[in-house]
Amino acid sequence: SDKINLDFNILVLTAGCWPLQSQISSFNVPEELEICMKKFSTFYNVLHNGRKLNWLHHLSKGDIKMLYLKKKYEFQATNYQMGILLLFNNAEIFSVQELLTATGITSTEFYRNLQFLLDFKLLKKSSEGREVKESDDISLNMSFSSKRIRFKITTVAHAETSQQNAETRKVIEEDRKLYLQAAIVRIMKSRRVLNHNNLIREVIDQAKSRFQPNVQMIKKCIEHLIEKEYLQRHSDQNDTYAYVA
């Protein structure tokens, strides 16, 4: 079997519990990573027959050691950035088109990640100025120097705008509302009649393994289910709910 000579860590997340963005680009996985992925996929499929792994390379990262300079640097990069850099194990210089074709990344993602590597001066290009041209040749910067032995470039590449953060929070909140509404209906369908405090307590007990629910959100979910006529307030006790069959 193929021997793995690198550390390889996996996070397996259930799609229904995590509002993760789907893969945003195609990607030709570097040979160094492909062996690890194949071995883990085989292992996972034995344990979980019928489940499908969806690799999210745009959310993945890795550490790279620079062994071609007098000073031994180590830095953290995204998988897309690694896909570009690892090609230079096989050649000293590539055209922009050769790198684009070899990585298989979409043009937008390729130029964005290439620009980060150029801005950090890990790579250099043949033309002057900051803008990358299709006619450029790209090579390793053999004069690279940094005061830090270890650094990361993924923090810039993964930085979300305030709008993206707001959209992510909104998706999470909507998913949690749907989960709480389903929990309330399950509880009330079983109990038929339940007072407010006990219902809140049981909903929190069911949800706490996934997230810590906000009481105010639970109250809003109860009001929503009353409006939708899944529940109704007890005729004699205002703080008690009845399930509507």
Side-chain angles (χ1 to χ4, degrees):
S1 59
D2 295 319
K3 185 178 179 181
I4 297 177
N5 294 315
L6 51 84
D7 292 330
F8 190 67
N9 299 305
I10 300 289
L11 290 175
V12 180
L13 307 176
T14 304
C17 300
W18 295 82
L20 298 172
Q21 185 183 15
S22 299
Q23 186 73 15
I24 59 177
S25 172
S26 55
F27 182 48
N28 295 332
V29 180
E31 183 180 348
E32 294 86 343
L33 298 180
E34 190 173 16
I35 295 172
C36 301
M37 289 172 57
K38 285 181 177 179
K39 281 184 173 292
F40 183 80
S41 295
T42 300
F43 163 78
Y44 185 83
N45 290 333
V46 170
L47 291 180
H48 305 287
N49 186 29
R51 293 188 189 178
K52 181 182 178 182
L53 284 173
N54 181 26
W55 296 90
L56 303 178
H57 293 289
H58 64 296
L59 301 177
S60 303
K61 58 190 177 183
D63 294 335
I64 295 180
K65 292 182 179 180
M66 302 166 67
L67 303 178
Y68 53 89
L69 301 171
K70 289 183 179 180
K71 204 171 181 179
K72 306 304 180 189
Y73 296 101
E74 185 174 334
F75 64 94
Q76 191 176 89
T78 67
N79 273 21
Y80 291 161
Q81 291 160 1
M82 284 199 299
I84 295 171
L85 290 169
L86 289 173
L87 290 170
F88 289 93
N89 282 332
N90 304 314
E92 295 182 358
I93 189 168
F94 291 92
S95 70
V96 168
Q97 187 58 49
E98 284 173 337
L99 288 175
L100 177 60
T101 302
T103 57
I105 309 171
T106 59
S107 179
T108 301
E109 282 299 307
F110 170 78
Y111 280 105
R112 188 172 74 90
N113 283 280
L114 178 60
Q115 191 67 63
F116 284 128
L117 298 174
L118 290 166
D119 289 344
F120 270 85
K121 297 182 171 30
L122 293 169
L123 299 178
K124 63 180 183 179
K125 59 189 183 68
S126 53
S127 67
E128 298 294 327
R130 185 173 183 270
E131 183 181 353
V132 179
K133 301 180 177 65
E134 288 186 12
S135 58
D136 277 335
D137 287 326
I138 308 296
S139 59
L140 290 174
N141 179 12
M142 304 304 290
S143 302
F144 176 84
S145 178
S146 174
K147 293 180 180 179
R148 293 176 295 170
I149 296 295
R150 293 181 177 86
F151 55 93
K152 62 173 65 176
I153 56 179
T154 51
T155 50
V156 179
H158 278 171
E160 287 188 314
T161 65
S162 57
Q163 181 181 355
Q164 288 173 319
N165 281 328
E167 290 173 354
T168 300
R169 286 194 295 270
K170 184 178 179 181
V171 170
I172 293 173
E173 186 172 316
E174 289 302 315
D175 284 348
R176 289 180 174 180
K177 283 180 181 178
L178 291 174
Y179 180 86
L180 292 174
Q181 289 170 23
I184 293 167
V185 170
R186 284 197 303 271
I187 293 166
M188 291 303 301
K189 189 174 183 179
S190 172
R191 297 302 187 91
R192 311 304 293 184
V193 176
L194 200 61
N195 69 36
H196 178 80
N197 289 337
N198 286 335
L199 178 56
I200 295 289
R201 191 178 302 113
E202 290 201 28
V203 172
I204 290 174
D205 285 342
Q206 285 202 15
K208 65 184 180 183
S209 63
R210 289 174 174 261
F211 60 92
Q212 188 59 43
N214 181 289
V215 174
Q216 195 60 38
M217 183 182 287
I218 298 174
K219 289 179 179 179
K220 288 181 179 179
C221 289
I222 292 172
E223 292 298 325
H224 177 76
L225 292 171
I226 290 174
E227 291 177 8
K228 294 294 184 180
E229 298 183 348
Y230 285 93
L231 309 179
Q232 64 183 14
R233 285 188 170 85
H234 199 280
S235 56
D236 299 325
Q237 298 171 291
N238 198 43
D239 68 340
T240 299
Y241 308 107
Y243 177 71
V244 179

